[in-house]
Amino acid sequence: MSNGTTSTSKGSSSSSSSAQTPTATQREQQKGSLAALRRLAPFLAPYRRQFVLAGIALTVAAGATLAIPYAFKQMIDLGFGGQAGIHNVDHVNAVFLALFGVATVLALATAARFYTVSWLGERVTADIRAAVYRHVVRQSPAFFETTQTGEVLSRLTTDTTLIQAVVGTSISVALRNLLLFAGGLVMLFVTSPKLSSIIIGLLVLTVLPIVMFGRRVRKLSRDSQDRIADASAVAGEILNAMPTVQAFTHEHIETARFGATVENAFVTAMRRIRARALLTMLAIVLVFGTIVFVLWLGAHAVLEGAMSGGDLGQFILYASIVAGAIGALSEVMGEAQRAAGATERLLELLAVRSDIQAPSQPVALPPRAANGAALSLANVTFHYPSRLDSPALDHVDLDIRPGETVAVVGPSGAGKTTLFQLFLRFYDPQQGTIRLDGVDIRQLDLHTLRDAVGIVPQDTVIFSANAMENIRYGRADASDEEVIRAARLAAAHDFIERLPHGYQSFLGERGVRLSGGQRQRIAIARALLKNPPLLLLDEATSALDAESERLVQSALEAAMVGRTTVIIAHRLATVQRADRIIVMEDGRIVEMGTHQSLVALGGVYANLAALQFHSVHVTPVAAEALQ
């Protein structure tokens, strides 16, 4: 309807660099580095105590595991291989009793480790989700014009779930296996330095191809997450526009489009899975091939009497522990690589900085005047980012007195809704200043500014809540009586009372259970409940029938008392009683005055008034003003 919608959409393809995520080249340079996981440290730091407890439990469990091979060595050498081959029954019993004790300690420590690290995973993930969401809702509109909602949701769900798996499981498994690897390696050297030196040398040679191949897996993991985000973005866009999709019978087209993105995600995921499978196969063959070869040498050493059967048994068990630890670490590495990609994506989101920042030392507004706020624009020029050669506002000067009602009319693209976006500081002008009660709005805290402004948009937003809470969105601490009073002023009380559960009735997602006029009245009630000194009405009565418009118009006139009001409207009956009417065209103010003076002027407004009230021949300029 108004220019802001047009201009914004045209400006959506580009916004200032600070409101965008890193470029594809930058992301490619950052991809796949496990160092990204270190940047989770601020989220992990508050839970040092839990990490210490988990570390203690993990160390005890690893120690118990490393004690088992030694117990088997004692059983073989002393229990079965005693003097003259006589079996030592008492020693065997003692060894098995000790093994049961070790198993009990292992069970308790493992349970404690599992509980602690699972708690950490859930807690840290919840903190990350909250931090990302808190950051996203503070971004300027430019961010939401260039970032798909589905992509943000994918990062809040899929990516954080991967991080949860790493923090809640993989880190613990990695540390446990690192301890087992280190402890097992030490015990291998204690058991047989010669065989251990051979096995270590061979393992170093096997690790090199595994590391090289792992880099490809890392890149594919990030690509897979990107494709999943693409599918989520498409699904979110279509589900939010389902009535339009069905009205144009595009169900099969959108199904095919979503199917293509899902198939693309599947193909990318299969490339990652194949690479992971090959990496796992390579690791197992190389590692266990090395161990088998070394054990073959050990078997010959026993046959030659160079080592005892217990030593070989102990060496085999420690070698198995070391091999198992390496295998587990390779699995954890794959998960960590996926989580590193997810972490990069989340941290990219957290690194985005809005163009619109609150000042470090904000200025306070003067005490509220009894008749509303003063608003002034001085030489304001504004370009949307993708239309730098075409100003949406061009050297606009305007002074609105406290308590004054000013209507803004003009053709689409004239700059009307852009004014509202600048008043709320969704954007900053490239030139000029906007002052509220004499204070430059860039010197105000954003909450202070926006608390002083109430708006009724043309496209009303209804939340998935009941009628009471939807109106209370205007002021969270309002009582039920204040909500009902605002609903009465907005002519919404009667239809709300007729709902199945009155004010407790759920209004459906995006208010699908209400008519357009009913949604509009909910929005008006919300703005009236806020009771701001400056009220912005963007076609506030556009969706109402004649009877409802009469009721709401009467309510709005009462609500305008004691506050400054700026109205955007094409239906001139809405603005005839305004103190002043501003006529805009091509980002400039071309006419200004009362309804009577502008009609007498014979310009754009007069032609529009003639068309709406007298149905006479009008000029092309007036016809354009109707669009």
Side-chain angles (χ1 to χ4, degrees), residues 365-373 437 451-452 530-534 561-564:
L365 279 173
R368 178 174 177 175
N371 56 344
D437 282 336
D451 281 344
K530 188 177 184 181
N531 191 29
L534 175 61
V561 176
R563 76 184 83 247
T564 305

Side-chain angles (χ1 to χ4, degrees), residues 98 121 345 472 537:
R345 286 156 51 86
R472 189 177 276 127
L537 305 177

Side-chain angles (χ1 to χ4, degrees), residues 125-168:
T125 301
D127 291 348
I128 291 173
R129 283 177 176 151
V132 172
Y133 189 81
R134 183 168 57 248
H135 183 73
V136 166
V137 298
R138 285 171 168 76
Q139 297 305 305
S140 69
F143 170 83
F144 296 100
E145 292 169 0
T146 57
T147 304
Q148 292 178 303
T149 303
E151 183 179 352
V152 175
L153 293 176
S154 174
R155 297 188 187 193
L156 282 172
T157 54
T158 306
D159 290 353
T160 51
T161 300
L162 287 173
I163 293 174
Q164 177 184 350
V166 169
V167 176

Side-chain angles (χ1 to χ4, degrees), residues 12 27 34 43 64 138 171 174 178 182 239 248 324 333 347 421 426 519 532 549 576-577 592 594:
S12 66
R27 285 188 299 188
L34 292 179
F43 297 99
R138 285 171 168 76
I171 289 178
L178 281 173
L239 292 177
F248 285 90
M333 185 64 70
L347 294 177
Q421 292 174 330
F426 289 158
R519 289 196 295 271
E549 181 177 7
Q576 284 187 74
R577 289 186 291 275
M592 184 185 305
T594 63

Side-chain angles (χ1 to χ4, degrees), residues 138 444-452:
R138 285 171 168 76
L444 294 172
D445 181 80
L446 289 174
H447 286 181
T448 300
L449 169 64
R450 292 167 185 171
D451 281 344

